[in-house]
Amino acid sequence: KEYIRELLLLVLYEAHSYNRKNRLQTDNQTNAARQAHYYILEHFREPIRIQDVASMLYLNENYLIRIFKKQYQITPNQYLLETRLHHARYLLLYSDQSVKEIALSCGFQTTSYFIKKFSLRFQKTPSLFRRENQTAQR
């Protein structure tokens, strides 16, 4: 009886330790993904490389990509692009900035790359998007 009791206590202790370790690891992954998320959100206007975000968090780039995707179902680069595009969309609707000014203020290196990505995402060029929505707002 004593042997079985000791064995059960040992198994319970191991299970508890394993669960605690996994929970801490998951919490750390969630926290790192969240920190990367907020960093991208705050700095999307700047040139950002995911490699630099990973280094800032003392993580391997591939590991950051994996935990970010697990948390948000999108890669950090995709999230950065989506954030830039949605901000640009807002500026097209509510500012008088030129397409070039919007592209640069949203972190795009070139206007042509911005137009290409915007057109793919919203199925129309930024200029057409602005024209159609200005007409609709009147």
Side-chain angles (χ1 to χ4, degrees), residues 44-45 84 87-89 91-92 95-112 114-115 126-127 130:
F44 71 88
R45 293 173 183 90
R84 287 175 171 166
H87 188 68
R89 185 173 178 253
L91 292 176
L92 287 165
S95 82
D96 293 331
Q97 290 180 306
S98 70
V99 171
K100 181 179 181 177
E101 290 170 329
I102 290 172
L104 296 176
S105 72
C106 291
F108 290 95
Q109 298 298 310
T110 65
T111 306
S112 60
F114 164 63
I115 292 169
S127 297
R130 175 178 265 170

Side-chain angles (χ1 to χ4, degrees), residues 5-36:
R5 184 179 157 302
E6 291 289 322
L7 185 61
L8 284 174
L9 285 174
L10 183 61
V11 168
L12 287 172
Y13 175 77
E14 288 294 321
H16 175 72
S17 296
Y18 178 79
N19 286 337
R20 186 167 181 258
K21 179 182 173 190
N22 281 348
R23 192 169 53 248
L24 288 174
Q25 187 175 11
T26 301
D27 290 346
N28 289 339
Q29 289 174 354
T30 300
N31 189 38
R34 191 174 294 132
Q35 285 179 314

Side-chain angles (χ1 to χ4, degrees), residues 43-54:
H43 298 274
F44 71 88
R45 293 173 183 90
E46 305 163 17
I48 296 177
R49 294 181 331 154
I50 301 309
Q51 175 184 357
D52 297 334
V53 177

Side-chain angles (χ1 to χ4, degrees), residues 68-124:
F68 194 96
K69 187 164 185 174
K70 180 180 176 185
Q71 179 76 21
Y72 298 106
Q73 290 74 50
I74 189 172
T75 67
N77 278 322
Q78 290 168 327
Y79 177 70
L80 174 60
L81 178 61
E82 283 294 313
T83 302
R84 287 175 171 166
L85 289 172
H86 282 280
H87 188 68
R89 185 173 178 253
Y90 176 85
L91 292 176
L92 287 165
L93 290 171
Y94 300 107
S95 82
D96 293 331
Q97 290 180 306
S98 70
V99 171
K100 181 179 181 177
E101 290 170 329
I102 290 172
L104 296 176
S105 72
C106 291
F108 290 95
Q109 298 298 310
T110 65
T111 306
S112 60
Y113 181 72
F114 164 63
I115 292 169
K116 176 182 176 183
K117 290 300 182 179
F118 190 93
S119 299
L120 281 171
R121 177 66 177 87
F122 298 109
Q123 289 78 46
K124 53 188 81 172

